[in-house]
Amino acid sequence: MKKIWYLVKLGIKAFLRLVFALISGGEECVVCGKKAFLYPLCRDCRKEYLSIKDRELFQGRCRICGKELLSTQETCFDCRIKPVVEHVDKMLPIFPYRIWNKELMFMWKSQEIRALSLFFAKILDGVLKKLGVKVIIPVPPRKGKLQEKGWDQIDELCNLLEYIYGFKILRILERATVIQQKKLGREGRLEQIGKAYNLVSPEKLQKLLKPFDGKLPKEVILLDDVCTTGATLESCSIPLKEVNIESIIGITLFIVD
């Protein structure tokens, strides 16, 4: 019932947005300027986003942080000088956080165009199926965000990935601080590593693991929206490694490079 009600509510929001767009004549695609309706992307640009090639995902990336490489070396300059990521076994940011990608993120998070949740979930489904990992651990929102705003973008993506695409969601992390990462500079973010996230209480963990036969999976996806320094994914991975999760793949929609 929860699954059906959630999808109905999101579907109604998307339908009303589509109706309004049709009445008003649509809006401009943020990429090419053509007419768009349900999403702020036209049909052709959506198709381009969805046709992610394996080469773009797995080749020409820093083997530590996942950034696109500008040289033939295996690691980027930052990771050669001072790597941030140690406990994440593989980082896979999907798109660079530039130009219209930044605009899409602003529309999704700040303007709350939640139809984009459906679009991003479809992109993630295609990427995650290539990896073959079915268990997703979301980076949790700051305390009070769900009550304050009524939704969290990562929580919504996980609901859609579970309800529509059949992934298993394991919400075993919680925020230990109320500090917003986006308000911190690089050094401030790095100082939060190992401090910002914990496992839930043993009682809650036991309850969450019931659908998993009481056992933690050996391989998981750690999901967030944007990677800036890698500090958030690293901080989340430390408590996961402490309970013997063997393989952690950090996935983000965007990376600031």
Side-chain angles (χ1 to χ4, degrees):
M1 182 60 70
K2 178 183 176 183
K3 168 182 174 179
I4 295 172
W5 180 236
Y6 187 91
L7 293 175
V8 166
K9 287 196 296 183
L10 193 60
I12 289 172
K13 289 178 184 291
F15 176 74
L16 291 175
R17 174 177 166 79
L18 177 60
V19 170
F20 178 78
L22 289 170
I23 292 172
S24 62
E27 59 188 309
E28 288 188 354
C29 170
V30 298
V31 178
C32 68
K34 292 180 183 176
K35 283 292 183 183
F37 293 92
L38 175 58
Y39 306 108
L41 288 162
C42 69
R43 184 189 299 270
D44 291 338
C45 290
R46 291 201 308 274
K47 192 178 295 184
E48 186 68 25
Y49 265 90
L50 290 168
S51 61
I52 302 169
K53 308 294 190 299
D54 287 354
R55 175 178 53 79
E56 297 168 346
L57 282 175
F58 304 116
Q59 297 177 19
R61 301 286 192 111
C62 172
R63 64 176 177 81
I64 297 176
C65 72
K67 288 181 181 178
E68 293 182 20
L69 291 171
L70 301 176
S71 69
T72 56
Q73 299 192 51
E74 291 186 345
T75 55
C76 67
F77 178 77
D78 289 338
C79 289
R80 291 198 298 271
I81 301 302
K82 189 179 180 181
V84 173
V85 178
E86 297 179 16
H87 294 80
V88 186
D89 296 282
K90 185 179 182 61
M91 295 273 287
L92 190 59
I94 301 174
F95 302 113
Y97 190 57
R98 308 182 205 133
I99 318 173
W100 45 76
N101 289 336
K102 292 180 71 173
E103 183 68 17
L104 285 175
M105 178 62 78
F106 177 77
M107 290 177 166
W108 185 39
K109 294 180 68 172
S110 299
Q111 295 183 346
E112 298 190 10
I113 299 178
R114 292 173 65 176
L116 281 168
S117 299
L118 297 163
F119 179 63
F120 289 141
K122 188 171 184 179
I123 289 173
L124 285 167
D125 172 58
V127 171
L128 296 179
K129 280 179 178 172
K130 295 175 188 292
L131 297 172
V133 182
K134 294 296 291 183
V135 181
I136 300 170
I137 296 178
V139 171
R142 60 180 171 80
K143 292 180 180 179
K145 181 180 178 182
L146 284 171
Q147 290 78 12
E148 176 188 328
K149 292 200 168 185
W151 79 299
D152 172 69
Q153 61 275 5
I154 297 303
D155 183 67
E156 182 150 282
L157 281 181
C158 285
N159 285 333
L160 294 172
L161 288 168
E162 179 182 13
Y163 298 160
I164 298 176
Y165 299 106
F167 290 90
K168 296 179 179 179
I169 311 301
L170 190 53
R171 294 177 172 85
I172 60 171
L173 290 172
E174 62 183 8
R175 285 282 286 265
T177 68
V178 295
I179 299 172
Q180 295 187 51
Q181 291 283 90
K182 66 182 181 180
K183 294 185 178 180
L184 298 175
R186 179 178 175 82
E187 291 306 315
R189 289 170 184 260
L190 298 183
E191 287 174 4
Q192 291 295 305
I193 292 178
K195 304 174 185 177
Y197 299 91
N198 295 321
L199 284 178
V200 297
S201 68
E203 295 79 15
K204 188 173 182 180
L205 179 61
Q206 189 176 21
K207 183 178 179 181
L208 291 171
L209 288 178
K210 283 184 178 179
F212 298 85
D213 298 323
K215 298 177 182 179
L216 283 161
K218 295 298 183 183
E219 187 176 32
V220 300
I221 297 293
L222 183 60
L223 181 64
D224 203 3
D225 50 5
V226 181
C227 176
T228 302
T229 62
T232 295
L233 294 179
E234 175 65 11
S235 194
C236 286
S237 295
I238 292 172
L240 298 180
K241 286 290 187 177
E242 288 175 349
V243 291
N244 299 319
I245 291 179
E246 295 176 1
S247 176
I248 300 172
I249 304 176
I251 302 285
T252 61
L253 285 168
F254 302 105
I255 186 167
V256 177
D257 58 356

